[in-house]
Amino acid sequence: MSKDVYITGAAMTPFGRHTGTLAPELAQAAILRAMDDAGVQPKDIQAIYCANVLGGMILGQVIVRDLGFNGIPVYNVENACASGATAVHLARHAMLAEQYETVLVFGIEQLTALGGGTIPLQRNDAMTDLYATAGMVLPAVYAMRGTRFIAERGASPRDLAAVAVKNRRHGALNEYAQQRKETTLDEVLASRMIADPLTLLQCCPSQVDGSAAVVLSTKRGSANKPVKVLSSAVVSGLREGARDDILDAEITARAARVSYEQAGLSPKDVDVVELHDAFTIAELLYYEALGLAAHGEAVSLLHSGATALGGRQPVNPSGGLLAKGHPLGATGVAQMVELTWQLQGRAGARQVEGAKVGLAQCTGGGIAGVDHAASSVHLLGV
């Protein structure tokens, strides 16, 4: 496992409602743009990884059937919201094992096809999971964390709402984001209550379609400045005990430790972060889990301006899930597209100047008795 793996091409579709567009059409748009970005043809691709959560069986094969890939392996990857990141992780492992030199990884989701509502924790029978049986939904899970955070950390609902204000400000600069309108603290707090203390503008949009794609290669390529995948970690949740802290985000902290160790880096080496802010409270918890803030210092870090554009370590310059949107299978790949553009100096008005190292963090799945089902942390660098 001595070869380096690079992102040599990156692309995505705008996230939003793509009425009248089929999921394969969305995915194909991202795929073709990423390949053009990398300067490769179908004959150069040796394997394909398709990340998707709710699109059904063999979606990858359906999407690439007419693109001229000539029977190469297609792997369909589902790992809840971490599906896209997991697909990159698996592809990188195959390349480090010298199975492939150049592969395509893409994520796709069309949530508007579901007709609205919250994403189900489980779609299986009632015996599968206690939370699913009880009707637990993710806004409720994060609302409990938010309530506990406010009670134990001396925080207020305005502190949580400030995350949405920051990320919507960033999203207004991103032509790929679903929500491109800035908001104020008062507007966030006055929006419809979803699960106390989380209001509508503190939850990522549930009606969103989109796709993202990257070309990975052990060859540096020549189309654009290649971005090296410095490390990749995917871990599963541990069984929780009665005294476990729901504010701990243990699974993400564990994935981050693995990823930092692989890369030989520490949190202070990171210049830009794309993290899984499905709800405002999540960003604050992940500041601490990723080592960006010490325990109990997340709110102070946010209000210092360090995680805003122009700050020391901008977090979610894309607008994050709160503004960009969260088409499940595409999210993890889209985070890496954003970081690739940032590290190549191609992010336009939201560019983080001088960025050399980027971190992408994505969690996935809620099941009874664990923090999350999966968490991934990747470090990218130039």
Side-chain angles (χ1 to χ4, degrees):
M1 295 176 63
S2 60
K3 287 182 176 286
D4 292 328
V5 175
Y6 299 92
I7 297 175
T8 58
M12 60 183 287
T13 67
F15 283 5
R17 292 174 178 265
H18 289 268
T19 305
T21 301
L22 299 177
E25 295 174 305
L26 273 178
Q28 288 167 3
I31 289 168
L32 294 174
R33 292 172 195 167
M35 291 176 59
D36 183 65
D37 194 44
V40 298
Q41 302 295 320
K43 63 180 176 60
D44 301 313
I45 303 295
Q46 297 169 300
I48 296 170
Y49 293 76
C50 168
N52 179 262
V53 179
L54 300 168
M57 292 191 299
I58 59 168
L59 183 61
Q61 285 88 336
V62 171
I63 287 168
V64 304
R65 174 185 54 198
D66 301 322
L67 297 182
F69 286 105
N70 295 324
I72 61 175
V74 176
Y75 303 99
N76 291 288
V77 180
E78 186 278 305
N79 208 13
C81 304
S83 296
T86 302
V88 171
H89 177 78
L90 295 173
R92 177 175 178 266
H93 266 285
M95 298 170 77
L96 292 176
E98 300 186 353
Q99 297 299 302
Y100 311 117
E101 290 185 332
T102 303
V103 306
L104 169 71
V105 182
F106 69 92
I108 172 66
E109 209 74 54
Q110 193 169 41
L111 293 180
T112 58
L114 300 181
T118 59
I119 303 300
L121 293 180
Q122 291 285 333
R123 284 182 169 269
N124 299 325
D125 60 75
M127 294 181 66
T128 300
D129 188 81
L130 178 62
Y131 283 179
T133 304
M136 181 75 80
V137 291
L138 285 171
V141 172
Y142 281 92
M144 287 190 288
R145 290 176 175 144
T147 299
R148 183 77 167 268
F149 188 85
I150 290 169
E152 291 194 0
R153 301 290 179 84
S156 73
R158 296 182 72 84
D159 294 321
L160 273 62
V163 174
V165 173
K166 173 182 73 73
N167 290 353
R168 289 285 287 262
R169 185 186 309 123
H170 293 174
L173 303 173
N174 184 1
E175 63 270 31
Y176 293 88
Q178 183 182 32
Q179 306 293 334
R180 299 200 59 198
K181 181 181 178 182
E182 293 192 35
T183 189
T184 66
L185 273 175
D186 289 341
E187 288 170 339
V188 172
L189 293 169
S191 62
R192 177 165 56 91
M193 185 62 70
I194 300 299
D196 194 8
L198 300 177
T199 58
L200 179 65
L201 294 183
Q202 297 186 65
C203 308
C204 66
S206 63
Q207 289 290 284
V208 58
D209 309 324
S211 182
V214 293
V215 175
L216 300 179
S217 184
T218 55
K219 306 171 184 177
R220 289 179 59 89
S222 58
N224 290 296
K225 180 168 61 176
V227 170
K228 185 177 175 181
V229 182
L230 301 173
S231 64
S232 173
V234 174
V235 300
S236 296
L238 300 174
R239 187 72 181 180
E240 294 178 329
R243 299 178 64 85
D244 282 359
D245 185 354
I246 64 171
L247 302 183
D248 190 27
E250 181 278 333
I251 185 173
T252 291
R254 183 157 38 96
R257 287 195 296 271
V258 172
S259 200
Y260 287 134
E261 192 172 310
Q262 277 184 23
L265 298 174
S266 70
K268 64 178 173 48
D269 297 312
V270 175
D271 300 309
V272 57
V273 177
E274 284 285 314
L275 61 72
H276 192 102
D277 61 325
F279 303 90
T280 51
I281 180 58
E283 179 161 325
L284 294 172
L285 296 181
Y286 295 146
Y287 286 172
E288 298 182 9
L290 295 172
L292 307 180
H295 179 79
E297 298 298 323
V299 171
S300 296
L301 179 70
L302 173 68
H303 290 311
S304 75
T307 61
L309 279 170
R312 174 172 49 84
Q313 283 182 311
V315 174
N316 289 326
S318 69
L321 281 59
L322 287 169
K324 187 178 66 200
H326 182 26
L328 311 179
T331 289
V333 182
Q335 289 179 328
M336 296 189 205
V337 171
E338 174 68 20
L339 290 179
T340 296
W341 289 343
Q342 289 285 351
L343 298 177
Q344 291 175 334
R346 296 197 289 160
R350 64 188 185 281
Q351 179 67 50
V352 176
E353 294 303 323
K356 300 295 183 184
V357 176
L359 182 150
Q361 175 267 339
C362 202
T363 56
I367 55 177
V370 300
D371 179 1
H372 280 88
S375 186
S376 65
V377 174
H378 288 76
L379 287 163
L380 309 181
V382 292

